[in-house]
Amino acid sequence: MEALIPVINKLQDVFNTVGADIIQLPQIAVVGTQSSGKSSVLESLVGRDLLPRGTGVVTRRPLILQLVHVDPGDARKNDDSGIDGEEWGKFLHTKNTIYTDFDEIRQEIENETERVSGNNKGISDEPIHLKIFSPHVVNLTLVDLPGITKVPVGDQPKDIEVQIRDLILKHISNPNSIILAVTAANTDMATSEALKVAREVDPDGRRTLAVVTKLDLMDAGTDAMDVLMGRVIPVKLGLIGVVNRSQLDINNKKSVADAIRDEYAFLQKKYPSLANRNGTKYLARTLNRLLMHHIRDCLPELKARINVLAAQYQSLLSSYGEPVGDQSATLLQLITKFATEYCNTIEGTAKYIETAELCGGARICYIFHETFGRTLESVDPLGGLSTIDILTAIRNATGPRPSLFVPEVSFELLVKKQVKRLEEPSLRCVELVHEEMQRIIQHCSNYSTQELQRFPKLHEAIVEVVTSLLRKRLPITNEMVHNLVAIELAYINTKHPDFADACGVMNNNIEEQRRNRMRELPAGVPRDKAPAAGPQGEQDGTGSWRGMLKKGEDAPGSGPGSPLKGAVNLLDVPVPVARKLSSREQRDCEVIERLIKSYFLIVRKNIQDSVPKAVMHFLVNHVKDSLQSELVGQLYKSGLLNDLLTESEDMAQRRKEAADMLQALQRASQVIAEIRETHLW
């Protein structure tokens, strides 16, 4: 299983080449407060001084440190650097530069930190990748994180505590990471910030290992026995104590190897029963063992994640398309595909079916039979007509002579006025269908022909051509719908079968009412002398022209003297707004109302059927049939090829990034396959 950690390092290298952090690889995240000894622990594991030192926040960017064990004799053979020495380091950002001087490594960490984070003690979540090759290390992958702080110093941001906390949580929230919580022994373990933040993401402590530093700096008369035995803060992965180099030791250039020997001597003297389970060497072996087992547990899920991502990036790369070869063929293919998808969306056979709302042909059908149909049905056949309006129309149609029958002219005048009201909802139906066909353009661009996103100018040109075609067909369709209503107004067909049947039924009803009234007359009144008006009908003048005169005035020429004396100016006398109608007036109005309603329903039925047909023929079907030829005629020109097929600025870059990521995922999948073949898994 020892070979599992180099495999993870290899996977890390694969994803580092594309600068991606989409795979959460197993690693050890080092967490602790400022000056808790984090850097000293890491340097003890490496065996060399390589990390920046100082006061305040020194680690201001995550440092991903990969330790690679190499055999002394095979070091140069396995590395093509050509540099003498058994230990060396490589940074990801410096490519193939080899560092054998660890002071230069420390300086490069400082320079790279300031390059991204500045020199104002600010922090950044962009990691520095460092790989150390040495025969004195065990295979490990560690992440050194900024120390937890509470109070900003100098020109640090006021929210430096929140920034560092969020950065730490980002790394330790990775379920594939082991948390190395570092706490100084001369502080109260119950107030350990490292253990507190670790418990937020790992409440059971299943992936937390505690490290107690500075065992040699505890107050006189005290020891860390209870802490090291796990009696104070129980941690499932264990708790290991170490002794760090003091600042004086560092200033005096005390080597890490000498510090480890002194640490061993201290543990043997102070904690003899626990010496073999503490110390830097035991910590390194423990971390190596924990990481190997952790990697073994994570590999199945890791493999599944890589396969899923590979499929996603393969699909993404396919959507970006291949670089354009034959421009003419590509342009014709894209035009044809768009026209086909546009027509398929109308027909309901498109590949991408909208589930959130009605779209295309389904919405047009809804407009015809729901929106338009219900609107027509809501139009009242007698809407806007009062009894006085009908009576006035009847009187105006008779001229100066009283009529014995209801004049037909009044019926035509009134029914045309009502039929005219059907024109506005009909034109609105055309407008709604036109808007939906405009929306289909965007639908096809978003879902059906993603290739158009590669060529923004071609997309704009196609939208303009289709919009122009729809714009040209709109007035033609409106004119046809207007004519449909005008046709109904041009000839009032009173011989229509449905209308004739309605009139027959109505005449029968009127005759029946007349016979009923005749039966109700007194026996002494002759049938042919039956009054046409009610008891207060025309006898009192309310049903005649006299009812329009002012009270107390005589009719023209009835007074003594001049014939004009007592004359009434009829133009000054308003027509009564409301009065009791005579029996005949009431009967005439009812006849007209019934005729209007009957004929209006016939016309409405015709309009409800003919308008959708006209819209389909003059707008929808015409656009479907001519779209392909219109696009080809407008766009398929040699002079436009280069301009229309110019990719968006970032498309080539996105295609390259997707291809690189897909290649990295495929290499990672091969690495995991090698594990299975060598029975490491």
Side-chain angles (χ1 to χ4, degrees), residues 99-112:
Y99 295 85
T100 56
D101 186 344
F102 281 78
D103 288 336
E104 293 182 3
I105 291 177
R106 181 192 304 111
Q107 187 61 47
E108 180 60 30
I109 293 174
E110 293 177 354
N111 295 341
E112 180 65 10

Side-chain angles (χ1 to χ4, degrees), residues 240-257:
I240 300 174
V242 297
V243 177
N244 300 340
R245 290 180 299 168
S246 66
Q247 190 60 47
L248 179 61
D249 293 336
I250 296 172
N251 295 339
N252 293 334
K253 305 296 183 181
K254 183 177 182 179
S255 67
V256 174

Side-chain angles (χ1 to χ4, degrees), residues 58 87 189 304 417 548:
V58 177
E87 296 178 299
M189 288 290 291
K417 178 181 178 183
M548 300 173 64

Side-chain angles (χ1 to χ4, degrees), residues 433-653:
V433 174
H434 177 268
E435 291 175 358
E436 177 56 27
M437 296 191 72
Q438 194 74 35
R439 288 178 67 244
I440 296 176
I441 303 175
Q442 189 63 36
H443 173 81
C444 293
S445 302
N446 291 341
Y447 301 102
S448 302
T449 52
Q450 295 182 359
E451 293 91 339
L452 286 179
Q453 306 302 325
R454 295 175 55 192
F455 311 108
K457 291 187 177 180
L458 175 60
H459 179 253
E460 293 174 2
I462 288 178
V463 171
E464 178 59 32
V465 170
V466 182
T467 302
S468 176
L469 178 59
L470 291 171
R471 193 185 306 119
K472 287 191 297 185
R473 298 306 302 177
L474 182 60
I476 298 174
T477 309
N478 282 336
E479 181 66 21
M480 182 59 200
V481 171
H482 172 77
N483 287 338
L484 288 176
V485 179
I487 289 170
E488 296 291 346
L489 296 173
Y491 180 65
I492 304 302
N493 182 17
T494 56
K495 293 297 184 180
H496 192 284
D498 295 341
F499 186 69
D501 293 343
C503 290
V505 173
M506 185 171 57
N507 289 334
N508 293 336
N509 292 338
I510 294 175
E511 181 62 23
E512 180 67 23
Q513 292 175 4
R514 189 187 70 79
R515 285 196 296 267
N516 292 337
R517 286 197 300 270
M518 294 296 289
R519 284 195 295 267
E520 294 172 358
L521 289 175
V525 179
R527 300 291 178 180
D528 56 347
K529 301 295 184 178
Q536 295 182 353
E538 296 180 357
Q539 285 80 0
D540 60 1
T542 57
S544 66
W545 65 273
R546 295 179 182 275
M548 300 173 64
L549 301 179
K550 296 181 179 179
K551 290 185 177 181
E553 294 184 346
D554 295 329
S558 60
S562 172
L564 298 178
K565 182 179 179 180
V568 177
N569 185 355
L570 295 179
L571 298 179
D572 293 337
V573 179
V575 177
V577 175
R579 65 179 178 83
K580 186 174 181 179
L581 301 181
S582 67
S583 299
R584 178 174 179 179
E585 289 173 338
Q586 188 172 359
R587 185 178 67 248
D588 290 349
C589 289
E590 289 178 357
V591 170
I592 292 295
E593 286 178 356
R594 292 179 183 179
L595 291 174
I596 291 174
K597 185 174 182 180
S598 176
Y599 196 82
F600 180 88
L601 295 178
I602 294 172
V603 175
R604 185 173 72 182
K605 183 178 180 181
N606 294 341
I607 294 295
Q608 191 170 353
D609 178 64
S610 59
V611 167
K613 292 178 178 178
V615 174
M616 287 298 298
H617 177 73
F618 287 92
L619 181 61
V620 180
N621 290 343
H622 187 279
V623 171
K624 282 172 50 183
D625 296 339
S626 60
L627 180 59
Q628 170 81 9
S629 59
E630 190 77 15
L631 288 171
V632 172
Q634 295 286 340
L635 303 179
Y636 193 66
K637 300 176 182 179
S638 58
L640 298 177
L641 289 177
N642 289 331
D643 187 47
L644 293 178
L645 294 180
T646 300
E647 287 188 319
S648 58
E649 296 179 358
D650 61 337
M651 181 56 68
Q653 178 64 26

Side-chain angles (χ1 to χ4, degrees), residues 386-389 391-392 574-581:
S386 65
T387 304
I388 295 299
D389 294 334
L391 185 60
T392 302
V575 177
V577 175
R579 65 179 178 83
K580 186 174 181 179
L581 301 181

Side-chain angles (χ1 to χ4, degrees), residues 373-441:
R374 290 181 179 177
T375 301
L376 288 187
E377 291 173 0
S378 67
V379 178
D380 183 6
L382 300 175
L385 284 181
S386 65
T387 304
I388 295 299
D389 294 334
I390 297 174
L391 185 60
T392 302
I394 293 174
R395 288 182 170 181
N396 287 337
T398 60
R401 295 173 298 279
S403 64
L404 298 176
F405 306 100
V406 177
E408 188 175 338
V409 176
S410 62
F411 162 71
E412 290 195 6
L413 176 67
L414 293 171
V415 82
K416 285 182 179 180
K417 178 181 178 183
Q418 297 306 100
V419 170
K420 184 70 175 175
R421 297 169 61 210
L422 299 176
E423 182 174 12
E424 182 180 350
S426 300
L427 293 176
R428 177 57 181 161
C429 175
V430 178
E431 183 181 351
L432 290 175
V433 174
H434 177 268
E435 291 175 358
E436 177 56 27
M437 296 191 72
Q438 194 74 35
R439 288 178 67 244
I440 296 176
I441 303 175

